[in-house]
Amino acid sequence: MSSAFLFRRVLQQCASRSPVSIISTRWTSSSTENQTAASLDPEFKKKIDDFIKSNKIAIFIKGEPGAPRCGFSNAVLQILDLHGCDFKSKNILDDEQLRQNMKNYSNWPTFPQVYFDGEFIGGCDILLGMHQSGELVDELKKIGIRSKLADVNNKNASTSK
Amino acid sequence: MEINKDNIEKKLRDAFEPTYLNIDDCSSGCGLKFDTIIVSKKFEGKQLLARQRLVNDLLKDEMTKIHAFTQKTYTPDEWEKKQEKAATNPECPIKSTSACTGNCGNCPK
């Protein structure tokens, strides 16, 4: 994604009539998360806090990286592999309590769930959308990961008409 | 209320007044599964996560019973640009999917 495109998008968001919408969605989603996360067992919450904060990319999936048990989880794994990302994962099929509690923790009803640097990114649809738009390369850069596709994006930008 | 495509469609239409809405009921032995494309002005100024949270919140009760749910959310501008891109692309990515309305006029009859 070109910097010109991103700049236009920032302008568009600032010009939006609804001032609330220019607040970072991550702040919005964090406050909602805190309301549902507050009802969680503190010990569980701490374990998950530690897991997502001590790994740049932390994902909650159905199955294991080598053997995903769901097409959406598989898609997330494929995308992260394309970008050459290291990550840590938890298999929510192995732990029913984890499965139910993560829905409250993330305030998100489905899996997979993807966290970058301790912040909730979304599920498969969002990661796929970010990958297709080129935004994922930028998001990875923000957390100190150079995507394998970063050079591909740059090459396309410089050769496009 | 029963969870089905019509009820979900009604909720989405009432909440988002979409300019385009497509819902595929892909339910199977695994359970209820819906794939949606929602195009609405109400998504303007909102990033993907915020848009999807709006949809998730709307369908909060249904989500507890639905096995899988995918959502592609666009503003009208984004959708139009996507259609234009598909029109100039001989191998239209929408053509062979259920999202194709057959009405964009770009494919020869």
Side-chain angles (χ1 to χ4, degrees):
Chain A
M1 186 180 294
S2 73
S3 55
F5 178 87
L6 277 173
F7 183 63
R8 277 201 299 279
R9 202 160 90 167
V10 168
L11 286 182
Q12 187 186 13
Q13 287 181 343
C14 289
S16 159
R17 284 188 188 172
S18 165
V20 171
S21 63
I22 62 174
I23 295 169
S24 161
T25 57
R26 289 185 183 172
W27 283 107
T28 309
S29 59
S30 293
S31 60
T32 315
E33 281 158 33
N34 286 339
Q35 283 168 17
T36 47
S39 59
L40 288 168
D41 172 51
E43 202 182 305
F44 168 84
K45 187 177 175 303
K46 178 155 189 338
K47 253 171 68 177
I48 298 300
D49 284 346
D50 289 346
F51 177 67
I52 65 171
K53 280 166 186 160
S54 58
N55 293 291
K56 280 195 177 169
I57 301 180
I59 63 175
F60 298 85
I61 58 171
K62 292 184 176 181
E64 302 291 342
R69 302 266 302 276
C70 152
F72 301 124
S73 292
N74 187 26
V76 162
L77 292 166
Q78 300 268 348
I79 291 169
L80 292 177
D81 185 54
L82 275 174
H83 288 263
C85 300
D86 286 333
F87 60 88
K88 278 282 187 288
S89 70
K90 284 207 183 287
N91 180 0
I92 56 103
L93 294 179
D94 268 352
D95 186 341
E96 187 58 32
Q97 195 193 24
L98 177 70
R99 184 177 184 167
Q100 294 311 317
N101 282 336
M102 282 311 297
K103 293 179 185 178
N104 287 332
Y105 183 94
S106 306
N107 191 24
W108 195 259
T110 53
F111 294 95
Q113 294 179 2
V114 179
Y115 280 82
F116 282 2
D117 235 14
E119 282 196 58
F120 185 62
I121 296 298
C124 171
D125 288 338
I126 289 178
L127 204 71
L128 182 61
M130 288 167 65
H131 166 67
Q132 288 173 332
S133 69
E135 196 181 333
L136 185 53
V137 170
D138 299 327
E139 289 300 313
L140 289 172
K141 191 175 175 186
K142 282 185 200 166
I143 61 170
I145 294 177
R146 183 173 169 74
S147 163
K148 269 196 319 196
L149 302 184
D151 292 332
V152 171
N153 275 7
N154 287 340
K155 204 164 144 192
N156 287 343
S158 63
T159 56
S160 61
K161 289 182 186 178
Chain B
M1 193 192 294
E2 191 195 336
I3 299 172
N4 59 37
K5 182 178 156 176
D6 290 340
N7 291 338
I8 290 176
E9 181 171 345
K10 181 167 189 331
K11 264 192 159 175
L12 290 172
R13 284 202 184 280
D14 288 347
F16 296 107
E17 296 168 358
T19 55
Y20 176 79
L21 175 67
N22 187 71
I23 304 174
D24 282 337
D25 182 347
C26 308
S27 305
S28 66
C30 285
L32 292 171
K33 182 179 187 298
F34 299 97
D35 293 345
T36 66
I37 300 177
I38 312 165
V39 182
S40 167
K41 275 184 85 67
K42 301 208 174 183
F43 293 141
E44 282 171 4
K46 292 182 170 60
Q47 294 190 31
L48 282 181
L49 183 60
R51 297 176 189 188
Q52 295 211 359
R53 282 204 187 278
L54 283 179
V55 176
N56 287 349
D57 286 346
L58 177 72
L59 300 175
K60 204 169 183 167
D61 294 335
E62 287 83 353
M63 287 295 195
T64 60
K65 298 184 182 75
I66 291 174
H67 176 71
F69 186 85
T70 72
Q71 44 172 307
K72 291 184 173 32
T73 51
Y74 303 97
T75 64
D77 279 348
E78 287 166 354
W79 181 246
E80 199 179 312
K81 285 190 178 71
K82 192 174 163 64
Q83 302 298 86
E84 283 167 5
K85 204 170 162 189
T88 54
N89 180 356
E91 282 303 310
C92 171
I94 297 174
K95 199 157 64 174
S96 55
T97 73
S98 53
C100 174
T101 61
N103 292 331
C104 73
N106 290 312
C107 283
K109 297 248 186 221

